[in-house]
Amino acid sequence: MSAYAKPVEILIDELGRLPGIGPKSAQRIAFHLLKADAVDARRLADAIVTMKETVSFCERCFNVAESAECDICRDPRREQGVVCVVEEPKDISAIEKTGAFRGRYHVLQGVINMLEGIGPEQLRIKELALRVASEDITEVILCMNPNIEGETTAAFIATKILQPFSITVTRLASGLPVGGDLEYADELTLGRAIEGRQHLG
Amino acid sequence: MSAYAKPVEILIDELGRLPGIGPKSAQRIAFHLLKADAVDARRLADAIVTMKETVSFCERCFNVAESAECDICRDPRREQGVVCVVEEPKDISAIEKTGAFRGRYHVLQGVINMLEGIGPEQLRIKELALRVASEDITEVILCMNPNIEGETTAAFIATKILQPFSITVTRLASGLPVGGDLEYADELTLGRAIEGRQHLG
């Protein structure tokens, strides 16, 4: 006899695949949902399905998008010449909140991490090169997180990818604590880091 | 303009309602699902819906059940006279693993916690009294977690509910560390605690 009914076991198993959810958390969440109103549980299931059906990634910058291109790429008021390269879509919202940046973005969807087997070819780096080659871009700001993987990725893009183009390549000013996470920086610090961005190479 | 596409915001909001999931975790899980295969995300949504549609609580003991009564209540080989009262269905699987108990269970679905506004009437205590009055029960073992809320609940049930009945009321032997959680006890310790259960009152 299994410990619980099969459908509960299956749900615990599926929840356990989510990032940051261990077996005990998965069990706690499953029993929470079992006790919850059917309507509430259904709303969570529907939210997952609806998101997968209506949201994907911007064809240009790989930000979250509800149509072929994201709101920022389609906004004619955004500066066309400056592109901020970030790791994840959530970093865009952190930068947008500062109000210090009026250009567009490019989301790598990760960073180079050889220990986890993530190389440049798994990221949207090729697509960044293509944009720099075809769009009227004059400056690329590398906004990776200030940690080992972020610095490695920024150095790779600066030296191996953007070197051939006659554009300005900058990165965020120091001011962010090293080893920290861009997502947790306060708006003032992040805003200053954008204003004081430094030339790379 | 909201930080993300609306369906992403909605999912983050729904995930944030789950126990132990803060706003940052909810965001991380939502983006994980956004990047995941549609099939994988769908499987999670389906697991939630399937569980809610096929699993509910046993009419007799309030354990998890796929039919009107749970597997344990329907098993004729279980001792009918001894009932182990636990807080949650997950505690049953912890006790079953010890092999030290052959009776049946009663799940309170929580503990008395006045700070959180949970009184006896929110728990399955009335149903326990009904079972003791109508079934051929000779002993009730109170298996609440050995912490303040658990002890309070056990004391309430022993003195206010079971006192009028001429049955034996016991609780788990000490051996479990006080302030700990029944769910995390090793099988040997929990098994000994069942064997060495003590009279209450």
Side-chain angles (χ1 to χ4, degrees), chain A residues 48-69:
Chain A
I48 295 169
V49 172
T50 303
M51 185 192 72
K52 289 301 284 184
E53 280 174 355
T54 60
V55 181
S56 59
F57 294 108
C58 173
E59 288 174 2
R60 183 182 300 269
C61 79
F62 302 96
N63 184 16
V64 171
E66 286 181 275
S67 49
E69 291 199 352

Side-chain angles (χ1 to χ4, degrees), chain B residues 85-87 106 108 110-111 141-147 149-151 153-154 157 172 176 182:
Chain B
V85 180
V86 295
E87 295 178 13
H106 189 85
L108 296 177
V111 272
I141 312 175
L142 298 173
C143 290
M144 276 87 257
N145 282 315
N147 54 30
E149 292 80 19
E151 305 275 358
T153 307
I157 293 175
L172 288 181
L176 294 177
L182 201 139

Side-chain angles (χ1 to χ4, degrees), chain A residues 76-89:
Chain A
R77 292 163 304 174
R78 307 290 300 212
E79 262 181 68
Q80 302 291 305
V82 190
V83 169
C84 198
V85 180
V86 295
E87 296 178 15
E88 300 287 351

Side-chain angles (χ1 to χ4, degrees), chain B residues 15-165:
Chain B
L15 289 167
R17 291 173 202 273
L18 298 175
I21 307 287
K24 292 282 173 190
S25 306
Q27 188 177 275
R28 185 148 42 114
I29 293 170
F31 279 106
H32 168 88
L33 289 171
L34 192 55
K35 273 201 230 174
D37 269 11
V39 177
D40 291 338
R42 185 84 211 195
R43 219 171 40 225
L44 172 59
D46 287 347
I48 295 168
V49 172
T50 304
M51 186 193 69
K52 288 303 282 184
E53 281 173 356
T54 60
V55 182
S56 60
F57 295 107
C58 174
E59 287 174 2
R60 182 183 301 269
C61 79
F62 302 96
N63 183 17
V64 170
E66 287 180 272
S67 49
E69 291 199 351
C70 75
D71 291 349
I72 294 173
C73 282
R74 288 186 303 157
D75 186 346
R77 291 163 304 175
R78 309 289 302 210
E79 264 181 67
Q80 302 289 307
V82 190
V83 168
C84 198
V85 180
V86 295
E87 295 178 13
E88 300 287 352
K90 63 176 188 274
D91 299 327
I92 292 182
S93 93
I95 293 172
E96 286 295 291
K97 279 188 201 145
T98 70
F101 181 69
R102 293 297 306 154
R104 292 176 302 157
Y105 294 91
H106 189 85
V107 183
L108 296 177
Q109 298 194 328
V111 272
I112 297 172
N113 189 331
M114 286 311 179
L115 281 177
E116 293 183 8
I118 300 169
E121 60 291 343
Q122 266 97 55
L123 306 174
R124 300 302 185 169
I125 290 177
K126 194 172 71 248
E127 290 85 350
L128 173 65
L130 234 76
R131 287 185 66 184
V132 173
S134 64
E135 294 177 25
D136 199 15
I137 293 169
T138 54
E139 179 178 357
V140 168
I141 312 175
L142 298 173
C143 290
M144 276 87 257
N145 282 315
N147 54 30
I148 305 260
E149 292 80 19
E151 305 275 358
T152 306
T153 307
F156 177 85
I157 293 175
T159 57
K160 305 276 178 185
I161 306 294
L162 300 178
Q163 195 83 67
F165 302 98

Side-chain angles (χ1 to χ4, degrees), chain A residues 6-83:
Chain A
K6 193 80 193 154
V8 180
E9 297 271 12
I10 291 170
L11 179 59
I12 290 174
D13 188 55
E14 288 298 330
L15 290 167
R17 292 172 202 273
L18 298 175
I21 307 288
K24 290 285 174 192
S25 307
Q27 189 177 275
R28 185 147 44 115
I29 293 169
F31 280 106
H32 169 88
L33 289 170
L34 192 56
K35 273 200 232 173
D37 268 11
V39 177
D40 291 338
R42 184 84 212 193
R43 217 169 43 222
L44 172 59
D46 287 347
I48 295 169
V49 172
T50 303
M51 185 192 72
K52 289 301 284 184
E53 280 174 355
T54 60
V55 181
S56 59
F57 294 108
C58 173
E59 288 174 2
R60 183 182 300 269
C61 79
F62 302 96
N63 184 16
V64 171
E66 286 181 275
S67 49
E69 291 199 352
C70 74
D71 291 350
I72 293 173
C73 281
R74 287 185 305 158
D75 185 346
R77 292 163 304 174
R78 307 290 300 212
E79 262 181 68
Q80 302 291 305
V82 190
V83 169

